């Protein structure tokens, strides 16, 4: 579905190099290779400035690699003729919901994308209603978006993206500004899109409990991928987690404090392990 091959990206041109001091051009991504298959639910983590957003923007052609290749469903993102299809295939949801709202009602806002694609009116009503229903905002269809809560606004933004029928959605810290309820609402919509509609999801986040919900986690360090595996594998590697400026999710952190295996992903799992040790008379030292 998505192929990133030996990609290096810099926000600066070679000509901007400080030739006097022979400073190298700072690179945001360095020789990154990555394959994402259809239907995957992938999280991308890493400290501020590690290159997560840069990678996200490369995936739908908002920026193109300096060296290397990014292809989306076989389309090279540098190709101007297919860039429109690339953007339709990979939808993006950003951090601030207020910057993503255009319409005066939720319905109008969600219709913006398909309208631009030239979808006939009849069909558009159906697509828009379905997208709004998927994110659970049907009763707010005629509501002015600015009256919605943060979580509802982000769900409206997601509806706007899914109305374009993308194969993949990239969410760049889309839950960062939300309270726990808003976050849960958005995560449950994303999970449903992946599980029920088979949409590939790429979730950039600093919340490790969200990482635990994904099937695969990619860790960025200094513009490079320093880990690619399951969240369970990531959490078991406490040294890597700490060295990368991340925190374990709470249940795994509890296990770490107890000196136990941190490769768990849910509070229930932690509770089960501790309970069974207590039943077995083992000391949790
Ligand atoms: N528009 C830009 N112009 C110049 N440099 C940039 C620009 N955007 C990002 N960078 C630089 O590129 C590197 C990677 O940044 P990026 O935004 O991809 O990181 P990030 O992992 O998304 O960070 P955060 O967690 O803060 O969102 C950083 O060194 C950053 O300073
Ligand atoms: Mg970012």
């Amino acid at each position: 579905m998505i192929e990133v091959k030996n990609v290096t990206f810099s926000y600066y041109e070679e000509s901007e190099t400080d030739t006097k001091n022979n400073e190298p051009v700072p690179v945001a991504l360095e020789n990154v290779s990555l394959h994402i298959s259809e239907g995957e639910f992938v999280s991308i983590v890493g400290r501020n400035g590690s290159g997560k957003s840069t990678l996200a923007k490369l995936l739908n052609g908002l920026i193109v690699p300096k060296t290397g290749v990014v292809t989306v469903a076989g389309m090279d993102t540098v190709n101007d003729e297919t860039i429109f299809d690339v953007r339709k295939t990979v939808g993006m949801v950003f951090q601030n919901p207020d910057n993503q709202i255009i319409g005066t009602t939720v319905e109008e806002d969600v219709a913006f994308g398909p309208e631009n694609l030239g979808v006939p009116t009849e069909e558009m009503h159906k697509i828009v209603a379905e997208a709004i229903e998927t994110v659970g905002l049907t009763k707010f269809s005629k509501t002015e978006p600015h009256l919605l809560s943060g979580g509802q606004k982000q769900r409206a933004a997601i509806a706007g993206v899914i109305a374009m029928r993308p194969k993949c959605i990239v969410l760049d810290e889309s839950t960062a500004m939300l309270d726990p309820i808003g976050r849960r609402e958005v995560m449950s919509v994303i999970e449903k899109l992946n599980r029920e509609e088979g949409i590939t999801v790429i979730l950039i986040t600093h919340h490790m409990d969200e990482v635990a919900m994904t099937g695969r986690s990619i860790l960025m360090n200094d513009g490079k991928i320093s880990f690619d595996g399951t969240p369970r594998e990531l959490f078991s590697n406490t040294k890597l987690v700490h060295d990368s400026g991340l925190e374990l999710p709470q249940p795994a952190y509890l296990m770490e404090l107890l000196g136990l295996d941190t490769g768990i992903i849910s509070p229930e799992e932690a509770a089960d392990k501790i309970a069974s040790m207590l039943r077995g008379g083992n000391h949790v030292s």
Side-chain angles (χ1 to χ4, degrees), residues 52-53 172-173:
K52 304 179 298 295
S53 296
D172 192 352
E173 295 191 39

Side-chain angles (χ1 to χ4, degrees), residues 14-272:
E14 208 70 53
S15 56
E16 292 175 66
T17 321
D18 185 349
T19 40
K20 235 184 355 212
N21 295 319
N22 229 357
E23 292 279 336
V25 182
V27 292
L29 286 182
E30 196 180 333
N31 200 22
V32 168
S33 293
L34 177 65
H35 175 90
I36 293 174
S37 304
E38 199 158 343
E40 276 198 276
F41 190 178
V42 182
S43 47
I44 302 182
V45 295
R47 58 162 61 90
N48 293 139
S50 57
K52 304 179 298 295
S53 296
T54 304
L55 181 58
K57 285 184 265 176
L58 280 161
L59 300 184
N60 85 338
L62 280 176
I63 54 177
V64 293
K66 298 271 149 129
T67 58
V69 184
V70 177
T71 56
V72 169
M75 299 174 279
D76 191 328
T77 59
V78 294
N79 188 347
D80 285 340
E81 280 159 34
T82 48
I83 188 64
F84 197 61
D85 284 327
V86 165
R87 302 237 167 99
K88 223 171 70 179
T89 308
V90 179
M92 296 272 278
V93 183
F94 296 97
Q95 187 180 100
N96 188 341
D98 292 315
N99 295 345
Q100 298 175 72
I101 288 164
I102 319 152
T104 52
T105 65
V106 168
E107 211 169 49
E108 252 181 50
D109 191 69
V110 174
F112 188 78
E115 227 162 39
N116 270 355
L117 292 181
V119 174
T121 316
E122 256 316 279
E123 200 190 331
M124 201 181 62
H125 284 312
K126 193 167 153 266
I127 290 177
V128 169
E130 272 174 17
I132 292 176
E133 158 115 54
T134 304
V135 301
L137 288 180
T138 303
K139 68 173 182 205
F140 297 102
S141 294
K142 309 276 184 211
T143 304
E144 292 174 40
H146 72 92
L147 297 175
L148 300 176
S149 72
Q152 289 166 338
K153 281 182 199 165
Q154 276 306 43
R155 285 190 282 150
I158 293 171
V161 169
I162 58 179
M164 312 271 282
R165 303 268 157 101
K167 286 208 170 71
C168 174
I169 299 183
V170 180
L171 301 110
D172 192 352
E173 295 191 39
S174 305
T175 61
M177 298 175 78
L178 307 181
D179 67 14
I181 293 169
R183 252 185 352 110
R184 220 171 300 139
E185 288 170 0
V186 169
M187 284 307 293
S188 102
V189 165
I190 297 168
E191 203 180 25
K192 188 172 89 177
L193 288 174
N194 176 255
R195 203 180 48 234
E196 290 173 17
E197 320 233 344
I199 295 180
T200 309
V201 175
I202 301 171
L203 179 78
I204 298 176
T205 183
H206 289 291
H207 290 286
M208 300 306 276
D209 53 337
E210 295 176 4
V211 173
M213 294 169 75
T214 65
R216 172 182 173 193
S217 193
I218 292 169
L219 168 62
M220 304 288 304
N221 257 315
D222 245 349
K224 298 186 209 68
I225 294 176
S226 59
F227 171 90
D228 184 349
T230 62
R232 220 178 264 282
E233 285 161 357
L234 176 63
F235 303 154
S236 338
N237 194 339
T238 47
K239 183 170 182 334
L240 179 68
V241 167
H242 295 309
D243 288 352
S244 308
L246 305 175
E247 278 178 342
L248 287 169
Q250 290 286 312
Y253 179 51
L254 175 63
M255 300 303 265
E256 185 185 25
L257 292 177
L258 294 169
L260 302 172
D261 177 17
T262 52
I264 57 150
I265 52 171
S266 70
E268 290 77 13
E269 219 181 325
D272 275 352

